[in-house]
Amino acid sequence: QKIQTLNVGPERGKVTYRFSIVDSIAGFNVRDPEVLGFVPGDSAIVAKGWGFTMNTGMSSKKVFSIKFPAVDSCEYHLYIDASGYYPRTIPISVNKDLSFKQIDLGEIGLLKEPKRLDEVTVTASRIKLYYDGDTLVYNADAFLLPEGSMLDDLIRKLDGVSINTDGEIFCNGRKVESLMLDGRKLFNGNPRMLMQNLGAYTVKKIKVYDYTSKEDKLLGYSATGKKPMVMDVVLKQEYSIGKWLNLDAGYGTSNRYLARLFALGFTKTTAFAAFANINNLSTGDNPTRYDQWHPEKAGRSDSRYISGGLTYQYDTKKETFRGEAAVNTDRVNSIGGRESVNYLSSGNTYQNYYFNGLNRNLEVTTNHYFNWIFSKTSLTLTPKFEYTRKRTDSSTTSATFDEDMDKVTAEDIEAIYSGDADRLLRHTINRNLVRSESDNNRFYGSMEAKLLVRLPEISKGVNQNLTFNANGSYRNSHSETFNRNTINYGRNPEPTYDVYALTRVRPSWYAYGNGSATYRVNIREQHDFSLTYAYSQNHDRNTSDRYLLSNLDQASLVGLRFAELAPDMDLSAVIDPDNSRTTRYRTDSHSLTGWMSLGWHRERGDYSEGIYISATPGLEFLDRRYDYTRPNYDTTVVRRNIVPKIEANVRYSTTFKHDKTRRYYSVTLNWKSSPSLVSMGNLINVSNTSNPLNIFRGNPDLRNGYTHSATAKLELNQHAPTNHYNTFSLHYNFSENSISSGYIYDPKTGVTVRSMYNINGYRYYGVRYTGTGLIIRRGSRSLNYNAGFNWTNTDSPMMVGVGADDGRTVPARRFRYSTLINPSAGLSFSFGERGHSVNAGWNANFNHTTSSAEGYQPMDLTYMNYKLGVSFGLPFNIRLATDANLLTRKGFDDPTLNSNEIVWNATASWYWKKKRLSFILDAYDILGQIKVISAYSNELGRTESWSNTLPRYVLLRLRYHLDISPK
């Protein structure tokens, strides 16, 4: 508490209590206590205490004061908590007769907490969470955690909070946009950086609230009309300034390894950090760390990641500077295959496809944020730069048959024409062997400037402001792709098509500029009106040349490896005129966008309600020009369109308290209509025949489309005495002139000719429910639940034709009908002073797909996952955790994919507190049963695919944590 010198007296309708807070044994004043007032059984604060200095002659005395409403006979709880002491709760009885009075409670003593021993843990009752206005506050010390726990362990313990596989945090079903540290957005709000490197013992509180930015404070209301939800980690006083160092290294079986470093130094205004990471674990962490981990999605491919960087932040009331520079590299080896079937009235066709690819990526990025707050203005600059290089080396082997060829391998397909595979040869439609190697380089830079100006009040409570935005970006890239494509048709052992080609894309650049001005009026922080005019222009130029290296004198290629050219090689004579081009694209856009938000709110004692209406209509004028040039062909396409769009929302909410129960209800209705613009390149009436099995043809008759969506959402939340959060939603989407891919398929050759078409009939609708809550809590024991249900139905049209393409055939509209049902349920039980836990869950995925195509065989796939996980804290800071997943699949054509798998993981750890060392043993997929398998369908058939997975391993890790804090 901030100690102030002031006189505090009684207040009308309230009774004031004064007291001092001292150590119960030594008698000295306790440092920085927290004083709160509650109604028993409720989690909302009714009063907050504050400290002040009372002058008494030659000396001064630290005194605390708190004011409770004086109502008909009521009991409150005075709750006092301070770091290093047991919390204390004192019952206070208040009635109207005490109104205007001031009562002196004298000295209130707090008992110091003993040190935590390895064998014995002494605990006291603490308030786990409460509401301070609209802020949800979690008391970190009230959650039992083993020694050595990090921030992510603490966050997972919080009621109503979960972390998904991407490291995103959700609180009561709503996504947390940023994870902050003492009110500062470090690492651009990236939650993983803090969660994995901040020790839980440094945390005093965790607050969840709607963030008020400096711009909001400048205006006195929200600058954007929306406030993102943030989670703010409040450190204990002794750790609010200091340095951290985390080292994590491990090595295991199957040549698995991990090494991480994180260093942070910070004060009240500045922070600097360095980070580095190298691992070949693919998933990046132990699967037991995530609440939503699914074994069928884990360990895909065999990957290696290396990353590192620096980040900084300087933050005062008037200035904020922050930025980051990072380097990331990865090496991903993907091996897999797929089997597809097309259901045709003339006879089905079947394709077997195998791939083997190595991708190597390098990314160098730096982005910064500079903000200055002046008396009536705010200036923000946001520069960003990025360089990426992507190199791929891949090969594919595929064949199409007129009968289902069981257990055909890539080696079998390669040997079809060797004379020893007559069974396959009799049914072969085509065989395709492809080798490809590419190198792509890209540079990107952008700068955005924003000026916010607060204008004088129009009248009391009626505010106005202007916002000016300007941004520009530039992108330059070039690439080289070498491709060897060999195609055989039927029984002919001589390839009909055998081409070795090089495709160069250079130069390829894109420039964009935008400027906008917004005038906005805010009325009493409830009603908003704004109008925005924006102008943008972009230029895009791309030159793509394809050279047929197989037409060169073959002697010039002798001694060169694949994807290698002699330095003086002249390629101009072997250019492919039908698949080389230069394009120039320019767009001018003028837009006018309005925004209206109306809100009404009223309160009656313990009851409040509000209704909020918003609408965002817009109108955009587009002038687009596309120049297309290739040898012997030159054309220009111009499109000018006036495009309207709109989004509207209506929300009604109410909150009330009854018999110590605090409930919140809300209903939200949303409508959105937005355009789908035609890609100008799809309007050029030419064909790309670089792959004769997959030809693409332009369609000059394409029109812009529209997508419409409607959503209704109902929230039913209870905040006290137990927490329950339930959300129901209905959604319906449909489109007009949907721009969709279509094709003509020739079953005699396996050739597909694709194009884009305007199609009507797309619909997507469904129902979704999510729920979480606390069933019971008794001391250190608590039982929580989560449940979900998702039902969606999709009607997807596509233009599909069957037969030889003669250039005049128009595909017919076909529909794919898909129904997805996804229920889930789970229980989590925590108990014991060492934070034992048991988790059980179940989720399923039922997918039914059919089509309007004649002879189509419906697809019915079933996935089920049963999960059981346990975690125990043992003496001497030892912790054991394990989880088992039973995954079942049904409905695949390939019987080997219909399987039951048990995926078992385990972790054991020991924390050496004296040295701040953790020894961790991770065992991943102990039984070696993980498979990455999926299936999907289109209007003609279905495809089942699989890929390589991470091998099972046991990894021994050593983690060291050091914090240096001034005492």
Side-chain angles (χ1 to χ4, degrees):
Q1 304 291 328
K2 292 185 177 180
I3 306 300
Q4 305 171 359
T5 302
L6 50 91
N7 292 318
V8 180
E11 184 178 322
R12 181 177 180 84
K14 294 188 177 182
V15 55
T16 302
Y17 290 86
R18 282 187 178 180
F19 46 89
S20 57
I21 303 172
V22 299
D23 186 291
S24 60
I25 297 177
F28 55 77
N29 287 298
V30 172
R31 181 184 178 186
D32 297 327
E34 183 173 43
V35 180
L36 303 172
F38 295 90
V39 174
D42 198 352
S43 60
I45 296 175
V46 296
K48 294 183 70 174
W50 67 95
F52 59 94
T53 300
M54 177 177 289
N55 296 315
T56 56
M58 300 295 293
S59 63
S60 61
K61 182 180 180 181
K62 294 179 181 178
V63 177
F64 285 82
S65 179
I66 188 169
K67 297 179 180 181
F68 286 107
V71 295
D72 290 335
S73 186
C74 181
E75 182 178 288
Y76 297 99
H77 277 177
L78 175 63
Y79 178 79
I80 303 171
D81 191 14
S83 180
Y85 289 84
Y86 287 128
R88 186 170 179 183
T89 302
I90 301 173
I92 301 291
S93 296
V94 176
N95 55 58
K96 285 186 176 180
D97 295 336
L98 297 175
S99 182
F100 300 99
K101 293 187 178 181
Q102 181 173 285
I103 299 174
D104 193 345
L105 299 178
E107 291 185 347
I108 298 178
L110 297 184
L111 182 63
K112 211 170 184 55
E113 287 183 332
K115 291 184 178 180
R116 182 168 177 167
L117 305 177
D118 288 340
E119 293 81 10
V120 180
T121 302
V122 180
T123 61
S125 176
R126 293 184 184 273
I127 295 177
K128 286 197 169 186
L129 61 93
Y130 57 86
Y131 285 86
D132 185 359
D134 292 329
T135 299
L136 175 58
V137 183
Y138 294 95
N139 182 4
D141 288 339
F143 295 89
L144 297 173
L145 294 169
E147 293 283 0
S149 297
M150 307 305 286
L151 176 60
D152 57 346
D153 297 300
L154 173 59
I155 291 176
R156 286 184 177 85
K157 288 280 188 178
L158 306 181
D159 294 351
V161 177
S162 63
I163 305 174
N164 69 9
T165 53
D166 297 321
E168 297 174 325
I169 304 172
F170 291 83
C171 182
N172 302 332
R174 185 179 169 191
K175 182 181 176 181
V176 174
E177 300 297 333
S178 296
L179 182 63
M180 307 178 75
L181 183 67
D182 278 337
R184 292 181 293 176
K185 189 186 291 186
L186 299 178
F187 319 114
N188 288 324
N190 179 6
R192 282 197 174 186
M193 199 68 72
L194 277 179
M195 287 194 299
Q196 295 179 351
N197 293 285
L198 177 62
Y201 64 89
T202 65
V203 180
K204 181 180 180 181
K205 296 177 184 177
I206 293 180
K207 298 181 178 181
V208 181
Y209 55 87
D210 290 339
Y211 180 64
T212 300
S213 67
K214 291 181 179 179
E215 291 182 342
D216 295 347
K217 295 176 182 177
L218 170 69
L219 297 176
Y221 51 91
S222 174
T224 60
K226 299 178 181 179
K227 290 188 176 183
M229 175 184 279
V230 299
M231 180 174 284
D232 191 1
V233 180
V234 181
L235 297 176
K236 294 175 181 176
Q237 182 68 27
E238 61 269 32
Y239 297 108
S240 60
I241 297 176
K243 303 177 181 69
W244 303 335
L245 175 65
N246 285 337
L247 296 172
D248 193 353
Y251 186 78
T253 60
S254 301
N255 195 31
R256 299 299 105 181
Y257 55 82
L258 164 72
R260 291 191 304 198
L261 176 144
F262 178 84
L264 172 67
F266 59 98
T267 67
K268 291 291 187 180
T269 58
T270 60
F272 293 92
F275 52 91
N277 178 24
I278 177 172
N279 76 80
N280 64 350
L281 303 183
S282 293
T283 53
D285 208 340
N286 183 345
T288 59
R289 306 290 293 177
Y290 296 113
D291 299 335
Q292 306 296 323
W293 185 78
H294 296 286
E296 70 273 16
K297 299 179 181 179
R300 185 183 298 271
S301 306
D302 194 352
S303 311
R304 183 195 67 192
Y305 301 92
I306 303 176
S307 63
L310 300 170
T311 182
Y312 69 90
Q313 176 147 347
Y314 173 74
D315 202 348
T316 67
K317 290 184 178 180
K318 299 295 183 180
E319 298 170 320
T320 299
F321 307 148
R322 65 173 180 263
E324 179 182 71
V327 179
N328 300 280
T329 68
D330 62 68
R331 185 179 186 275
V332 181
N333 186 19
S334 300
I335 302 172
R338 63 175 184 255
E339 295 180 359
S340 302
V341 56
N342 290 315
Y343 299 114
L344 306 173
S345 57
S346 59
N348 298 341
T349 63
Y350 305 83
Q351 185 188 55
N352 294 73
Y353 178 96
Y354 300 90
F355 64 86
N356 189 332
L358 177 63
N359 299 312
R360 291 161 292 175
N361 303 310
L362 167 67
E363 182 182 64
V364 181
T365 61
T366 178
N367 53 79
H368 306 268
Y369 174 90
F370 307 117
N371 176 254
W372 295 268
I373 300 292
F374 305 102
S375 59
K376 294 183 180 180
T377 60
S378 168
L379 175 63
T380 303
L381 300 177
T382 313
K384 180 179 181 180
F385 303 94
E386 179 181 296
Y387 169 75
T388 58
R389 183 181 184 185
K390 298 183 178 181
R391 291 175 291 170
T392 63
D393 187 356
S394 65
S395 62
T396 63
T397 302
S398 64
T400 305
F401 304 100
D402 59 18
E403 283 194 7
D404 188 6
M405 298 289 105
D406 188 29
K407 298 181 180 179
V408 174
T409 66
E411 291 76 14
D412 294 333
I413 293 175
E414 291 175 356
I416 284 178
Y417 298 99
S418 66
D420 298 325
D422 187 60
R423 182 181 69 91
L424 297 180
L425 189 59
R426 289 198 309 270
H427 300 286
T428 298
I429 295 174
N430 66 52
R431 185 193 68 170
N432 190 201
L433 306 178
V434 178
R435 170 78 189 279
S436 179
E437 191 170 317
S438 66
D439 191 346
N440 300 273
N441 293 267
R442 175 180 178 270
F443 170 82
Y444 173 83
S446 68
M447 169 66 81
E448 182 177 359
K450 177 182 177 182
L451 178 66
L452 176 66
V453 181
R454 187 184 71 187
L455 301 176
E457 282 189 341
I458 298 176
S459 61
K460 186 175 181 180
V462 181
N463 299 283
Q464 57 180 340
N465 69 274
L466 282 172
T467 303
F468 300 95
N469 275 86
N471 65 78
S473 62
Y474 175 78
R475 182 189 69 228
N476 190 302
S477 63
H478 64 270
S479 66
E480 284 192 346
T481 301
F482 291 84
N483 182 276
R484 177 71 182 265
N485 193 351
T486 303
I487 303 174
N488 297 78
Y489 292 103
R491 295 189 173 210
N492 187 359
E494 294 298 323
T496 304
Y497 183 86
D498 189 3
V499 173
Y500 178 30
L502 163 65
T503 302
R504 280 180 174 162
V505 179
R506 63 174 68 170
S508 176
W509 59 268
Y510 171 86
Y512 172 82
N514 171 273
S516 67
T518 301
Y519 173 71
R520 181 181 173 199
V521 176
N522 177 273
I523 303 174
R524 299 182 183 87
E525 300 185 41
Q526 292 185 337
H527 312 305
D528 267 299
F529 303 90
S530 73
L531 187 64
T532 301
Y533 167 76
Y535 171 75
S536 67
Q537 185 180 110
N538 70 271
H539 297 262
D540 190 340
R541 180 175 178 177
N542 183 292
T543 298
S544 176
D545 291 319
R546 186 171 186 254
Y547 302 97
L548 302 177
L549 303 181
S550 50
N551 289 350
L552 289 169
D553 180 2
Q554 294 304 298
S556 64
L557 298 176
V558 174
L560 300 177
R561 69 170 185 84
F562 181 80
E564 183 181 9
L565 298 176
D568 57 348
M569 188 173 286
D570 182 13
L571 301 178
S572 58
V574 293
I575 193 168
D576 181 1
D578 294 331
N579 295 291
S580 300
R581 66 186 183 277
T582 296
T583 62
R584 297 175 180 86
Y585 178 44
R586 170 175 170 160
T587 300
D588 288 274
S589 168
H590 300 264
S591 66
L592 200 62
T593 304
W595 180 51
M596 175 193 71
S597 177
L598 306 175
W600 293 271
H601 184 79
R602 65 176 180 174
E603 295 187 14
R604 295 178 180 176
D606 291 337
Y607 174 82
S608 65
E609 64 178 346
I611 185 169
Y612 309 90
I613 302 172
S614 67
T616 310
L619 197 65
E620 183 177 15
F621 172 73
L622 286 164
D623 185 356
R624 300 190 291 166
R625 179 188 178 94
Y626 189 82
D627 297 312
Y628 181 95
T629 303
R630 74 180 189 185
N632 305 319
Y633 187 84
D634 192 348
T635 188
T636 298
V637 177
V638 177
R639 284 284 178 100
R640 296 183 176 94
N641 302 103
I642 297 177
V643 181
K645 53 187 174 182
I646 189 171
E647 182 173 2
N649 285 277
V650 177
R651 179 167 64 91
Y652 171 78
S653 66
T654 179
T655 302
F656 68 92
K657 290 189 290 185
H658 176 69
D659 291 337
K660 301 179 182 179
T661 298
R662 188 168 180 254
R663 292 193 174 96
Y664 168 83
Y665 302 149
S666 76
V667 177
T668 304
L669 304 176
N670 173 272
W671 173 268
K672 184 177 182 179
S673 295
S674 56
S676 302
L677 299 177
V678 174
S679 175
M680 298 291 282
N682 290 330
L683 296 172
I684 308 300
N685 191 22
V686 296
S687 297
N688 184 325
T689 59
S690 57
N691 183 352
L693 288 178
N694 289 280
I695 299 171
F696 182 83
R697 179 179 298 150
N699 181 357
D701 299 324
L702 283 175
R703 305 182 303 279
N704 294 332
Y706 261 89
T707 299
H708 310 281
S709 64
T711 304
K713 183 168 69 172
L714 171 64
E715 292 182 74
L716 306 173
N717 300 336
Q718 177 177 299
H719 300 302
T722 56
N723 300 305
H724 300 277
Y725 307 96
N726 298 276
T727 302
F728 304 85
S729 63
L730 305 173
H731 45 91
Y732 179 78
N733 292 18
F734 67 98
S735 61
E736 298 177 78
N737 291 327
S738 175
I739 303 170
S740 179
S741 173
Y743 60 91
I744 299 173
Y745 176 73
D746 186 352
K748 294 183 179 180
T749 62
V751 172
T752 300
V753 180
R754 297 184 179 275
S755 189
M756 305 299 293
Y757 299 90
N758 288 112
I759 310 175
N760 287 317
Y762 173 83
R763 295 190 305 164
Y764 170 83
Y765 50 93
V767 179
R768 183 177 293 114
Y769 162 75
T770 59
T772 63
L774 174 68
I775 298 176
I776 190 171
R777 175 180 286 129
R778 294 287 187 271
S780 63
R781 293 172 295 174
S782 64
L783 180 63
N784 291 269
Y785 73 91
N786 65 79
F789 179 81
N790 184 27
W791 170 81
T792 57
N793 196 88
T794 307
D795 300 343
S796 302
M798 180 176 277
M799 303 296 287
V800 179
V802 178
D805 174 57
D806 56 6
R808 299 184 300 273
T809 303
V810 178
R813 187 175 66 164
R814 298 177 186 265
F815 277 88
R816 177 174 60 91
Y817 306 102
S818 177
T819 300
L820 175 67
I821 300 175
N822 177 217
S824 63
L827 291 173
S828 175
F829 179 55
S830 299
F831 60 98
E833 296 175 351
R834 292 192 176 93
H836 310 312
S837 65
V838 178
N839 301 280
W842 169 80
N843 66 78
N845 190 317
F846 305 98
N847 191 342
H848 171 75
T849 304
T850 188
S851 170
S852 60
E854 183 181 353
Y856 192 96
Q857 298 179 20
M859 181 176 72
D860 288 285
L861 293 177
T862 299
Y863 298 86
M864 286 194 186
N865 183 25
Y866 304 84
K867 181 172 183 176
L868 177 64
V870 296
S871 177
F872 293 101
L874 305 179
F876 307 107
N877 295 328
I878 296 174
R879 191 156 195 86
L880 302 176
T882 185
D883 70 85
N885 295 266
L886 173 60
L887 180 67
T888 67
R889 300 185 188 88
K890 296 180 181 178
F892 286 86
D893 274 350
D894 187 341
T896 63
L897 304 184
N898 296 315
S899 59
N900 297 326
E901 299 156 14
I902 298 178
V903 181
W904 179 26
N905 310 293
T907 297
S909 65
W910 172 56
Y911 179 60
W912 188 4
K913 185 175 182 180
K914 183 178 180 181
K915 299 294 184 180
R916 292 287 173 87
L917 284 172
S918 294
F919 297 88
I920 305 167
L921 188 67
D922 289 334
Y924 173 80
D925 188 19
I926 297 172
L927 303 179
Q929 294 194 14
I930 283 183
K931 296 179 182 178
V932 178
I933 298 170
S934 62
Y936 60 91
S937 63
N938 60 20
E939 289 65 22
L940 275 185
R942 61 189 288 177
T943 297
E944 298 171 359
S945 63
W946 62 94
S947 69
N948 60 320
T949 60
L950 193 67
R952 58 180 176 176
Y953 64 82
V954 176
L955 185 79
L956 178 62
R957 298 165 59 180
L958 175 66
R959 178 184 293 166
Y960 173 69
H961 176 75
L962 172 68
D963 64 74
I964 304 173
S965 303
K967 303 302 181 184

